[in-house]
Amino acid sequence: MTDFLSSYTKFLSPYLGGNPAEVVIAVIVASVLVGFVAASAVFFIWLERKVSGRMQDRLGPTRVGGKFGWLQTIADGMKLLVKEDIIPGDADHMLFRLGPYIAFCGSFLAFLALPFGNNLVAMNMNIAVFFMLAVMSTEVFGIILAGYGSGSKWSLFGGMREAAQMVSYEVPMAICVLIPVIVAGTMNLNLIGQQQTGIIWNWYLFHDPFTFCAFWTYFTCATASCKRAPFDLAEAESELVAGFHTEYSGLRWSFFFMAEYGSMFAVSGIATLLFLGGWHTGLLPKQASNWLENDAGTTGFVLFSVLSVAVFIAKGWLLVFVMMWVRWTLPRLRIDQVMMTCLKYLLPISCMLLIGVSAWQVLPHGVLYYLDFIKYLGAFACVALVVLTIYRIFSTRSQLPASGAASIWNPTRPSPVVMAKKS
């Protein structure tokens, strides 16, 4: 994309001039990225409703909204657009208004350095990993401003909880990011994706035992940084009503969830590029991938680029689905448990993995030759696990009551409390 952008800039420069042409191209790219974030948020809302409905066997989310439930998501979006936007009387109006937009900007800026394919990136940076982690960490400022500016103690508690949680989990998360960076020798995400060309065992996930463990540690920290259960202390509906966004409604409320879903895809994109082969399918040999990318002509290059973008987005959406899976499976942790998980377990584990991968990199080539079977074993084990999971998902059917059978809830039957009082 970088080459395409430069060519379009040169094409527009004679008509608009150098600087205006760059501004026009930048606006177009930003609009495409904002549209992708917004469309992904709509899709994730629909997906989360379906995942929760299937896992909890709730008939509403699995039935309502047409054949696939899209009408319910559209209705939710229309409701947010026309809902009255209220600002509490005790709120700081400027901070209250700034909070959602700062949170969304912190999430959106990460997409500027996220490659969706080979050279298909808005800004090809040599420090792309560092840039993405830095800008995503600014999302917490929007949450703090929202909590502090709402004039509500529940919102303030949610904002301060998220500040403590995010600052703590950034440390092991950044250390886990360093592990594949050490293996790759660069922080350029585009180059890291290029280095994983070939069959699935060439992915950094299977490079050595330390990168394999680092992926799961990173994914746990990323789930916490996105305020997802069991780490959703910033919202905590059961104790803080709705947390930092208790006082928000309408469009401003939706910006917080666009930022959350955008961050979920951004951290999933980092995991895809660092551990899961980036835009590569893992099915084609390295020679075939290089031929399609460089020597197959314009048509082959375009088809390869479209396939690369589709594969990358599919991997990111799959990791987002796992986050939703975890949310509707595990109960929420207490604040002391969240901090203990980070400082007592994840931080030491990430430090040991960093030391281990550094030692692995300096091992003699002869020793590494005999240890090369580890990546093949890990790849086959993971593929078998994924196939088994997919089989179990599609082979298990929910057991609904038969027609005419007694339902679980009977309004004519006395409640257990009434029966206990009578006895």
Side-chain angles (χ1 to χ4, degrees):
M1 184 179 291
T2 306
D3 297 335
F4 291 149
L5 295 182
S6 61
S7 62
Y8 287 136
T9 303
K10 293 179 181 178
F11 175 77
L12 293 175
S13 295
Y15 304 98
L16 301 176
N19 293 333
E22 293 180 356
V23 171
V24 170
I25 296 298
V27 170
I28 294 174
V29 173
S31 302
V32 171
L33 291 177
V34 170
F36 175 78
V37 175
S40 296
V42 173
F43 173 74
F44 292 149
I45 291 171
W46 170 83
L47 182 62
E48 185 136 33
R49 179 177 287 111
K50 291 298 180 181
V51 171
S52 63
R54 294 294 178 184
M55 294 191 68
Q56 299 180 345
D57 204 10
R58 294 158 56 189
L59 298 183
T62 60
R63 300 292 191 274
V64 74
K67 185 176 182 180
F68 297 103
W70 287 106
L71 294 176
Q72 182 64 40
T73 304
I74 296 175
D76 290 341
M78 295 299 297
K79 180 190 71 173
L80 292 176
L81 290 175
V82 302
K83 193 173 183 179
E84 183 180 3
D85 191 8
I86 300 173
I87 300 180
D90 295 334
D92 187 313
H93 286 212
M94 184 183 70
L95 298 183
F96 189 86
R97 290 188 173 96
L98 281 178
Y101 307 122
I102 293 178
F104 177 75
C105 288
S107 173
F108 166 74
L109 288 176
F111 286 83
L112 296 178
L114 186 65
F116 287 76
N118 189 17
N119 291 321
L120 297 176
V121 56
M123 298 179 65
N124 193 3
M125 300 181 180
N126 291 326
I127 55 169
V129 175
F130 175 77
F131 175 82
M132 291 190 67
L133 294 178
V135 296
M136 283 193 297
S137 65
T138 61
E139 183 184 349
V140 71
F141 294 112
I143 294 173
I144 293 174
L145 291 179
Y148 180 78
S150 294
S152 168
K153 64 178 180 180
W154 309 117
S155 302
L156 180 62
F157 288 162
M160 293 301 103
R161 278 183 174 186
E162 178 59 15
Q165 175 181 326
M166 201 164 186
V167 171
S168 301
Y169 276 87
E170 280 180 353
V171 179
M173 182 177 173
I175 294 175
C176 291
V177 165
L178 283 177
I179 293 172
V181 167
I182 290 175
V183 176
T186 178
M187 287 193 293
N188 190 318
L189 289 174
N190 193 72
L191 295 179
I192 293 175
Q194 292 175 357
Q195 293 177 7
Q196 300 177 71
T197 305
I199 308 299
I200 187 173
W201 48 72
N202 291 324
W203 296 357
Y204 285 154
L205 176 66
F206 309 112
H207 183 271
D208 55 71
F210 305 103
T211 56
F212 185 83
C213 297
F215 168 74
W216 302 105
T217 308
Y218 166 84
F219 193 73
T220 303
C221 297
T223 303
S225 68
C226 293
K227 310 178 293 297
R228 300 293 295 181
F231 307 100
D232 59 336
L233 295 175
E235 301 174 20
E237 297 91 343
S238 62
E239 49 194 282
L240 296 182
V241 186
F244 66 95
H245 57 74
T246 299
E247 308 298 336
Y248 282 87
S249 63
L251 189 61
R252 290 195 182 98
W253 182 87
S254 66
F255 268 92
F256 281 118
F257 278 86
M258 286 180 63
E260 179 175 323
Y261 287 125
S263 296
M264 289 169 63
F265 186 86
V267 297
S268 299
I270 294 176
T272 300
L273 289 163
L274 294 180
F275 298 99
L276 302 180
W279 54 85
H280 301 289
T281 61
L283 303 176
L284 296 176
K286 184 178 295 186
Q287 294 80 3
S289 298
N290 292 334
W291 180 82
L292 287 173
E293 189 173 347
N294 301 317
D295 303 326
T298 304
T299 304
F301 174 76
V302 171
L303 292 177
F304 181 79
S305 300
V306 172
L307 177 63
S308 299
V309 173
V311 169
F312 179 81
I313 293 177
K315 289 181 180 179
W317 284 355
L318 179 62
L319 293 180
V320 173
F321 165 73
V322 175
M323 289 186 183
M324 297 177 182
W325 189 351
V326 171
R327 173 185 178 180
W328 298 103
T329 303
L330 301 178
R332 179 184 299 116
L333 300 176
R334 299 194 310 266
I335 181 64
D336 59 316
Q337 294 172 330
V338 170
M339 302 305 293
M340 181 185 67
T341 301
C342 175
L343 301 177
K344 191 175 180 180
Y345 296 103
L346 295 179
L347 182 59
I349 289 173
S350 59
C351 291
M352 292 302 298
L353 294 176
L354 180 63
I355 296 173
V357 78
S358 301
W360 186 278
Q361 289 299 106
V362 299
L363 286 178
H365 291 285
V367 176
L368 292 176
Y369 176 79
Y370 290 105
L371 295 176
D372 207 33
F373 74 95
I374 293 178
K375 64 180 183 180
Y376 302 110
L377 181 63
F380 284 120
C382 286
V383 169
L385 180 61
V386 170
V387 172
L388 178 62
T389 303
I390 294 174
Y391 171 76
R392 292 293 300 272
I393 289 175
F394 286 97
S395 62
T396 304
R397 295 288 183 263
S398 60
Q399 300 296 327
L400 297 177
S403 178
S407 62
I408 298 175
W409 178 74
N410 188 351
T412 62
R413 180 182 177 184
S415 66
V417 177
V418 174
M419 297 176 66
K421 287 182 179 180
K422 289 182 178 181
S423 61

